[in-house]
Amino acid sequence: MSRNAKIRILARKVYKFDVFYKTFVSTSNHEISKVLAALAYYKKLADREKGVNYNYIDRLANASSKDMALYHIREALRDFDTLKNNDEDMKKALSSLESKIGKIDYSKFETEIDFLEKAKNLSDLREILSRIGVEAINLGNRMLEGGS
């Protein structure tokens, strides 16, 4: 394969990622953010605690690699799944989330995870994870305030 052909292939890959990245960044209310918001705010919504538990958001935002980001997402999903089926406070939080923000669409969730895997470097990954974290906090505040 000639050098020019290799450059064209690489340019197409970079272009596809840039288009995908701009699409991800320009959209809001990502499904990962919805899960993190529910986990962070569910006890506060039930008036059982004064504070909010940012552990899941912080762990994801501070992930130092793709595999660590995916690990933290897996842990959050596992805990979320357990809580949504067994905890009354989480059921109330999900009801609030769905009425104000929308239902969690798990097919989009898979697309978002695929997107994380396509991050070109640590800087891009950190930017994406920071956006997800900020969005989760914003969604949680919207759940508390009743805004849409």
Side-chain angles (χ1 to χ4, degrees):
M1 182 180 297
S2 72
R3 184 169 190 256
N4 287 339
K6 289 179 183 178
I7 291 172
R8 282 194 302 273
I9 290 170
L10 181 61
R12 269 190 245 128
K13 286 181 181 178
V14 169
Y15 174 75
K16 285 180 182 178
F17 177 79
D18 287 342
V19 168
F20 192 56
Y21 177 77
K22 288 175 186 170
T23 302
F24 182 85
V25 170
S26 67
T27 58
S28 61
N29 294 347
H30 295 99
E31 308 312 302
I32 296 171
S33 299
K34 290 178 184 179
V35 168
L36 293 174
L39 285 168
Y41 287 80
Y42 81 99
K43 288 207 182 273
K44 184 164 180 128
L45 280 165
D47 293 327
R48 297 203 190 277
E49 290 185 11
K50 292 183 180 182
V52 175
N53 182 357
Y54 294 110
N55 286 339
Y56 294 99
I57 296 169
D58 291 342
R59 286 181 196 145
L60 183 60
N62 293 322
S64 58
S65 63
K66 291 179 202 177
D67 62 326
M68 287 305 297
L70 293 172
Y71 170 79
H72 291 306
I73 290 170
R74 184 194 73 199
E75 292 295 307
L77 271 176
R78 190 179 69 187
D79 292 347
F80 176 75
D81 188 52
T82 300
L83 288 168
K84 81 175 182 180
N85 293 321
N86 301 320
D87 189 285
E88 289 303 315
D89 294 343
M90 179 57 84
K91 290 176 184 175
K92 290 176 189 173
L94 285 174
S95 173
S96 174
L97 178 82
E98 290 173 1
S99 69
K100 295 170 186 150
I101 299 158
K103 228 176 163 156
I104 296 171
D105 182 348
Y106 292 98
S107 64
K108 288 182 183 176
F109 203 100
E110 292 170 9
T111 303
E112 292 172 18
I113 291 171
D114 290 343
F115 176 75
L116 287 176
E117 292 176 343
K118 292 180 182 179
K120 292 185 287 189
N121 54 44
L122 185 57
S123 176
D124 287 346
L125 180 67
R126 288 269 170 109
E127 185 176 344
I128 293 163
L129 296 176
S130 292
R131 175 161 180 96
I132 290 169
V134 167
E135 217 173 74
I137 293 168
N138 184 49
L139 292 175
N141 285 323
R142 284 171 55 190
M143 286 165 55
L144 291 175
E145 294 176 355
S148 54

